[in-house]
Amino acid sequence: MGDDTFPVYKELPVRFCGAAFYAFYLVTLGQTLRWQLFTDEGWKIRRNRRNIILTATILIFIFTTTYISLGLYKAMQEVYKAVHGHTMPGYIDTLSTIGQCTTANLAALLADTVLMYRCWVVYGKSKRILIFPVLMWIGGIICTVIQAYWQAVQTGHFGTGHWEPVNMSIGPGIVLTPFWATTLALNTYTTGLLVYRILAAVKDSKAVGSPVQPLQLLLRVFAESGVLYFSTTIAHLVIWFTPSSFGIAMLSEINVPTIGIAFNIILIRAAENRAREAREEGSQRNGVSTMRYASNNALPSPKGVIIISSETESMTSNSELGSDFATRLPSDLRSPA
């Protein structure tokens, strides 16, 4: 189903889009590493690092970089073959075919693992919550193993019979489509649970008069990353059912960096919010006092009163503690009113 190849000149837009999205990914990577490795204020090394998240961030970078590099390696081979009429010296076909699909799958599986971890923590480490996503995750692992084995056995050349329901010219689509279906189902389920819990927390906070800004920010972060990830993954899944090899190559090149971008956005926004709250808490702990002069027309004396108000707020991700003290003191100062 579909053409076996697409013209060499179409390699340029594919690799250009891949490089552009990879550049965007590197920008988000630099920001998230800054927040993970250094303190919120200044450039001192952070002592209480979350090593699990840091390790996942670095591994996704390795997988994404390998994927983009192998794509460029394959494009160089196609151009060389078109110019010289034979394979580029030293070119290893299985390295690019197996390597690209496998690293793409590993990046997605790793991001899914972190998302499952977040969901598990938010729901009080409930094992029941993880039953469905873990099954989908295991399904993704199985698809990845089958895909690598199939590519190794077939050496990158797949069937061209009419029985295949999806495009098989770029890769083992009959295995990759269920993989992306499982990761999409996993993300939909876990993100839905997280959003549901956040909305419930917002409702409870409003009921007791607690601030909801941190929760609303968290909701926006998941919405941003979720829309970005879902849109590209759904398009990537659907394109496998078309005869467009060029479309598959284009969306595959975009999809992998997008996974890293969505992963980093959550970490960046959470870190920025944490730093902002810490600054606000630090400034408010200083006990800033304000003085307001007001006239008191009820008094026979033209004297005014001074209202001294001292406010202190302590903001956390889920609650806000505040105190407001007002003292009315007689004053010999005349009201400016």
Side-chain angles (χ1 to χ4, degrees), residues 25-36 264 268 271-272:
Y25 164 71
L26 290 180
V27 172
T28 62
L29 176 68
Q31 287 185 298
T32 190
L33 288 179
R34 179 261 176 270
W35 290 112
Q36 291 188 58
N264 290 337
I268 293 169
E272 289 176 343

Side-chain angles (χ1 to χ4, degrees), residues 16 41 49 52 57 62 66 240 250 270 285 287 302 313 319:
F16 177 81
E41 301 295 338
R49 293 190 299 268
I52 294 178
T57 303
I62 293 173
T66 303
W240 281 98
M250 177 68 76
R285 279 179 178 174
E313 296 180 354
S319 63

